[in-house]
Amino acid sequence: MQLVRALMVHLVGVVLLAACASSPRAVPGGASAATPAAAPEIERGSFTILRGSDTVAVEHFTRAPDSLGAALEIPRTGRVRYDASLAPDGTVHRIVVDVTLADSTGPSQHSEADFEGDSVFIHRNTGTDTTERRAVDAGTLPYINPSPSLMEQIVRRSRVLGGDSVDVPLLSAGTQSRNVIATVTRPTPDSAVLSLGPVEVRLAVDSAGRVRGGSVPAQGITIVRQEAGGATP
């Protein structure tokens, strides 16, 4: 149990939610990224999160109109696998999460969350089954730090809501789930800024809402996307 908690602390604290401040910089290659007209029905690819030349995490994903599945690998620490059921308005009906430590052969923690109106029902199995109801704002999305695929879901939801600056409520996973507000702004048609507390994530996006890459300037983080087959957009 303590090892599982340690992993979740690492996942939440590794990037993005740590309190730090710096002047934002442009996303490498962001403004010049190609802008395709539409996304394919099923997308497969990966995101690599780098600090300098060091790999912080790698996420392999499969996205369809009604589902998102991903495996987030933290080197020498562990793996988080999640499967989410998506609605046409960019919200998430349900997410199932398995956490596996680096030295384990199977999941160390299993959780399921069902979002219903202003409530989320969370079932966890960490050796003992527990179920709780949490009050949330309607339209709350789950977020597992530092998943770029879930960052993309936040951006997609903001596009449905509309506006130059949109607040998207999140339920952030960690040692204990907590409610967070993400603010999404669109400085240009091919970019988005995702603000999580004091931290800004600068993302290059296309007309279909896909994240093509990004950066966290205050932390020296770069996010690189690759399509299935190794192509970098």
Side-chain angles (χ1 to χ4, degrees):
M1 181 63 174
Q2 293 301 320
L3 289 175
V4 174
R5 287 179 175 172
L7 174 57
M8 296 309 293
V9 168
H10 182 82
L11 290 172
V12 173
V14 66
V15 292
L16 309 183
L17 295 183
C20 54
S22 177
S23 299
R25 299 193 300 268
V27 177
S32 62
T35 305
E41 283 293 297
I42 298 179
E43 299 176 73
R44 295 181 176 87
S46 65
F47 290 101
T48 301
I49 302 175
L50 301 166
R51 180 180 281 118
S53 60
D54 295 331
T55 299
V56 174
V58 177
E59 182 176 70
H60 299 279
F61 68 88
T62 299
R63 178 183 286 275
D66 60 354
S67 64
L68 171 63
L72 181 63
E73 308 274 355
I74 310 292
R76 299 176 298 280
T77 302
R79 178 178 186 263
V80 178
R81 168 75 204 186
Y82 66 83
D83 291 282
S85 300
L86 310 179
D89 64 358
T91 57
V92 174
H93 291 311
R94 174 178 171 83
I95 188 168
V96 178
V97 182
D98 286 299
V99 177
T100 303
L101 300 177
D103 56 358
S104 295
T105 57
S108 307
Q109 177 176 296
H110 175 84
S111 62
E112 303 171 10
D114 293 283
F115 294 82
E116 300 179 13
D118 62 357
S119 300
V120 57
F121 298 89
I122 304 171
H123 173 79
R124 292 188 179 93
N125 185 334
T126 58
T128 302
D129 288 340
T130 61
T131 301
E132 66 170 312
R133 173 193 172 277
R134 289 284 304 275
V136 295
D137 293 331
T140 291
L141 301 183
Y143 180 60
I144 300 169
N145 191 33
S147 167
S149 296
L150 290 178
M151 293 181 206
E152 180 174 307
Q153 195 63 32
I154 296 168
V155 173
R156 286 172 178 255
R157 172 61 177 163
S158 75
R159 289 162 59 92
V160 174
L161 294 173
D164 295 332
S165 179
V166 180
D167 288 342
V168 179
L170 308 179
L171 183 69
S172 179
T175 53
Q176 53 184 332
S177 299
R178 59 194 183 96
N179 297 340
V180 179
I181 295 294
T183 300
V184 182
T185 55
R186 297 290 302 274
T188 65
D190 60 357
S191 68
V193 177
L194 176 60
S195 298
L196 294 164
V199 178
E200 288 189 342
V201 185
R202 295 186 166 263
L203 301 171
V205 299
D206 65 18
S207 61
R210 289 177 290 183
V211 169
R212 315 304 291 175
S215 68
V216 186
Q219 298 179 6
I221 295 291
T222 302
I223 302 170
V224 179
R225 175 174 178 147
Q226 287 189 315
E227 306 298 345
T232 301

